[in-house]
Amino acid sequence: MLEQLVGDSQALDRAIAGEELSYKDGLDLMNYDNLHLLGAVADDARKKLVGDTVTFAASYYMNYTNVCAASCQMCAFYRKEGADDAYTLTPQEIEQRVSIAKQIGATEVHIVGGFHPKLPLEYYEDMMRIIKKNHPQLNIKALTAAEIFYLSKLTKNSTKEILSRLKDAGLDSMPGGGAELFHPEIRGKIVRGKCSGKEWLDVIEEAHTMGIQSNVTMLYGHIEKPEHVVDHLIKIRELQKKTNGFITLIPLKFSLDNTELEQDHLVNNECSSVYDLRIIALSRLMLANTLNNISVYWVAYGKKLAQVALSNGGSDLVGTAFSEEIYRAAGKPTTSSVEELATMVKEIGRIPSQRDTHFGILKQF
Ligand code: SF4
């Protein structure tokens, strides 16, 4: 059926045949004008690779501090030390919140924050130890590769030493944040004071090599060009071939409100839903056979668009978030129950399954 429809794009032909797509293929698909067909091919690839199950995790998202030494142009979350609404939680406060989340069903904690210029490495070790001691079954998914890189500069320890100490303290896996877009041409315009794309990839490779698996994100919908998106996906693919350490790709739609990019009128509107769907489809096709979990961040899309994204190559929902201060800072709704997500999935005729951090199935609905 799909084979009869195509013929006007060699890149799409290759995607249908399940071949690895080149950089040029990626660019061709970023510019391909039949979005319905692109989405249908991506959906077909999703079905062949992972079937009809849509997964989601009961995850507790927590930001331990909003104090940050960096000042990224795409961020609405950071505060400088001493600001009225700056905060930093103690390890004990973190554990109390985690404890409540666990009581309502969380199986993992997703902990990220700003680059705090004064917190010592022991703070992070204490945080993990106290969580692990009280909740040994919870997966501690904490600190992005960008935070690890910052901590290494701050404490003058190697990134390997930091990762090793945190692993000993209870770190199980890592979130995918801070990846943004790796290409230096765009990265310098959206982040200020954060590691380079290469440094991010080096740290995450080190983590993977030590047995710490991670997610990876891609921030799109701001001032990027198609080549930056394709470059990002190819770099993920290349590292995944080497380490097999990425758990899922989470394309993150840029959230405009209260960011420097908005204030400087460099971005005046969030990207269209059509672009969102193109990104999901392209992610599926560029990573096919290498990283087969493509997550849809419903918090940024809203539930209806998230359902469409799941029909354009997505296979997992992220954002079963009992809290998410970063998106809340940019005015987005952030909470939903596992049951609500299951209903969303049933409404599009797919099979909802609650998963753990590493995509082991815990419960089918
Ligand atoms: S994106 Fe992260 S590193 Fe950049 S300013 Fe925001 S909190 Fe800080």
Side-chain angles (χ1 to χ4, degrees):
M1 171 68 183
L2 284 173
E3 287 80 351
Q4 289 164 10
L5 284 169
V6 292
D8 58 347
S9 163
Q10 289 183 355
L12 211 58
D13 288 347
R14 272 195 282 279
I16 291 168
E19 292 173 24
E20 182 173 291
L21 300 183
S22 66
Y23 179 79
K24 182 178 176 307
D25 290 333
L27 282 185
D28 287 352
L29 296 182
M30 277 298 278
N31 294 309
Y32 186 63
D33 56 6
N34 189 340
L35 184 69
H36 296 294
L37 189 52
L38 180 67
V41 172
D43 195 46
D44 196 52
R46 180 273 306 162
K47 197 175 172 68
K48 282 182 189 143
L49 292 166
V50 295
D52 282 333
T53 296
V54 175
T55 44
F56 43 82
S59 185
Y60 174 52
Y61 284 57
M62 214 237 332
N63 303 116
Y64 58 91
T65 183
N66 63 355
V67 174
C68 190
S71 50
C72 299
Q73 300 92 316
M74 35 59 77
C75 181
F77 174 70
Y78 73 91
R79 296 292 182 273
K80 291 299 162 194
E81 253 189 314
D84 287 350
D85 51 354
Y87 74 87
T88 302
L89 303 176
T90 65
Q92 290 71 23
E93 287 170 328
I94 292 169
E95 194 280 324
Q96 281 160 13
R97 293 182 183 204
V98 167
S99 192
I100 294 166
K102 174 139 175 294
Q103 280 165 31
I104 56 174
T107 61
E108 67 172 24
V109 282
H110 174 121
I111 305 175
V112 295
F115 299 164
H116 197 294
K118 295 201 180 129
L119 291 176
L121 187 50
E122 289 73 20
Y123 166 88
Y124 301 91
E125 290 179 305
D126 288 350
M127 175 204 296
M128 292 187 198
R129 279 207 191 97
I130 193 169
I131 296 172
K132 211 33 130 188
K133 178 166 172 273
N134 290 295
H135 315 284
Q137 337 59 339
L138 272 187
N139 187 290
I140 303 180
K141 182 169 58 157
L143 304 190
T144 65
E147 285 168 276
I148 299 290
F149 185 85
Y150 177 76
L151 257 178
S152 120
K153 295 282 165 229
L154 184 72
T155 64
K156 301 189 174 31
N157 287 295
S158 68
T159 49
K160 197 170 177 188
E161 171 72 12
I162 304 248
L163 286 166
S164 166
R165 282 179 59 174
L166 294 179
K167 190 175 182 213
D168 286 348
L171 179 69
D172 294 304
S173 58
M174 287 167 67
E180 325 303 2
L181 284 171
F182 298 133
H183 199 296
E185 195 176 273
I186 187 73
R187 195 171 179 87
K189 295 177 184 160
I190 59 173
V191 304
R192 186 187 296 120
K194 190 178 273 194
C195 61
S196 69
K198 181 173 183 316
E199 286 161 342
W200 192 97
L201 287 162
D202 286 346
V203 172
I204 215 72
E205 181 174 349
E206 222 162 48
H208 292 177
T209 307
M210 294 168 69
I212 305 167
Q213 290 199 308
S214 76
N215 295 340
V216 56
T217 58
M218 173 170 73
L219 187 75
Y220 71 88
H222 38 84
I223 50 175
E224 80 278 10
K225 295 188 181 135
E227 46 266 45
H228 303 134
V229 171
V230 177
D231 172 79
H232 193 81
L233 293 171
I234 288 183
K235 284 184 173 134
I236 292 169
R237 190 171 73 191
E238 291 312 305
L239 185 56
Q240 182 69 351
K241 282 185 195 167
K242 216 165 149 186
T243 67
N244 203 27
F246 288 128
I247 302 167
T248 186
L249 165 68
I250 309 170
L252 287 178
K253 180 189 181 99
F254 170 62
S255 196
L256 177 72
D257 294 351
N258 309 321
T259 62
E260 188 179 316
L261 289 177
E262 180 196 35
Q263 280 148 16
D264 290 350
H265 302 291
L266 291 169
V267 187
N268 294 315
N269 295 298
E270 289 183 4
C271 69
S272 69
S273 302
V274 165
Y275 188 69
D276 292 323
L277 298 179
R278 183 181 296 280
I279 292 287
I280 294 288
L282 189 78
S283 299
R284 165 64 65 197
L285 296 176
M286 291 299 293
L287 295 178
N289 299 312
T290 311
L291 175 57
N292 288 339
N293 299 316
I294 304 295
S295 296
V296 171
Y297 202 107
W298 70 263
V299 173
Y301 288 0
K303 291 181 180 173
K304 296 298 173 197
L305 180 60
Q307 288 176 318
V308 185
L310 288 173
S311 308
N312 277 252
S315 56
D316 177 68
L317 285 169
V318 284
T320 315
F322 302 124
S323 178
E324 226 305 14
E325 279 86 356
I326 287 178
Y327 265 76
R328 193 177 298 149
K332 304 287 180 195
T334 59
T335 57
S336 185
S337 69
V338 166
E339 284 72 24
E340 280 176 79
L341 294 187
T343 302
M344 271 172 75
V345 174
K346 282 184 186 160
E347 281 172 358
I348 56 167
R350 301 260 287 278
I351 306 156
S353 288
Q354 188 183 337
R355 66 168 172 86
D356 64 17
T357 306
H358 298 280
F359 279 72
I361 300 299
L362 299 175
K363 179 179 173 185
Q364 286 203 324
F365 290 79

